[in-house]
Amino acid sequence: ETLQRIVSTLANKNDEIHNFIDMLNHTIKNVQVNSSNVISELDEEFDGLYSILDEMKGCMTNTIQQEEARKIQALQDQLSQCSNALESSEELLELAAQSLDIKDPVEFVK
């Protein structure tokens, strides 16, 4: 009778262990599925963030390029004005130098 109870207890414990193993296997599968789902969601989220960042990069790059073009144009305008002023100044210096060489007062007044 004692041996029968021990065998019965062992059989119950074996059933409990099998049930626990089944529960652990089920939990492992759930963890794997949940992890896979979370990774997929994370991938989607980061893909969206990359897309937004790439779009922002494009906008910022465009703004920088427009600002660069505007500044270069303004500097080229200043360069052109300086070149014109220098040319006029050189012409004026040449005229002044020629005027200094005139000895005749009547010719100088002309």
Side-chain angles (χ1 to χ4, degrees), residues 19-65:
N19 289 336
F20 186 67
I21 288 172
D22 288 343
M23 186 193 73
L24 289 175
N25 284 327
H26 181 71
T27 302
I28 288 171
K29 287 178 184 175
N30 284 341
V31 168
Q32 290 171 330
V33 167
N34 289 341
S35 295
S36 179
N37 289 341
V38 169
I39 289 172
S40 292
E41 290 173 10
L42 185 65
D43 284 342
E44 288 177 23
E45 186 70 26
F46 271 89
D47 287 345
L49 290 172
Y50 287 136
S51 176
I52 290 168
L53 286 174
D54 193 45
E55 184 179 325
M56 287 178 66
K57 176 187 172 188
C59 290
M60 292 174 82
T61 299
N62 188 38
T63 300
I64 290 168
Q65 289 171 337

Side-chain angles (χ1 to χ4, degrees), residues 32-107:
Q32 290 171 330
V33 167
N34 289 341
S35 295
S36 179
N37 289 341
V38 169
I39 289 172
S40 292
E41 290 173 10
L42 185 65
D43 284 342
E44 288 177 23
E45 186 70 26
F46 271 89
D47 287 345
L49 290 172
Y50 287 136
S51 176
I52 290 168
L53 286 174
D54 193 45
E55 184 179 325
M56 287 178 66
K57 176 187 172 188
C59 290
M60 292 174 82
T61 299
N62 188 38
T63 300
I64 290 168
Q65 289 171 337
Q66 287 176 352
E67 185 68 13
E68 175 191 27
R70 186 190 65 75
K71 286 180 179 180
I72 287 174
Q73 184 61 50
L75 291 170
Q76 286 177 335
D77 290 345
Q78 287 180 359
L79 180 62
S80 177
Q81 291 171 359
C82 288
S83 295
N84 290 340
L86 183 60
E87 186 178 319
S88 295
S89 176
E90 287 173 350
E91 290 173 1
L92 186 58
L93 280 172
E94 186 179 323
L95 181 61
Q98 290 173 357
S99 297
L100 288 175
D101 289 338
I102 299 174
K103 303 294 183 215
D104 182 16
V106 174
E107 185 66 28

Side-chain angles (χ1 to χ4, degrees), residues 2 13 30:
T2 302
K13 293 299 178 187
N30 284 341

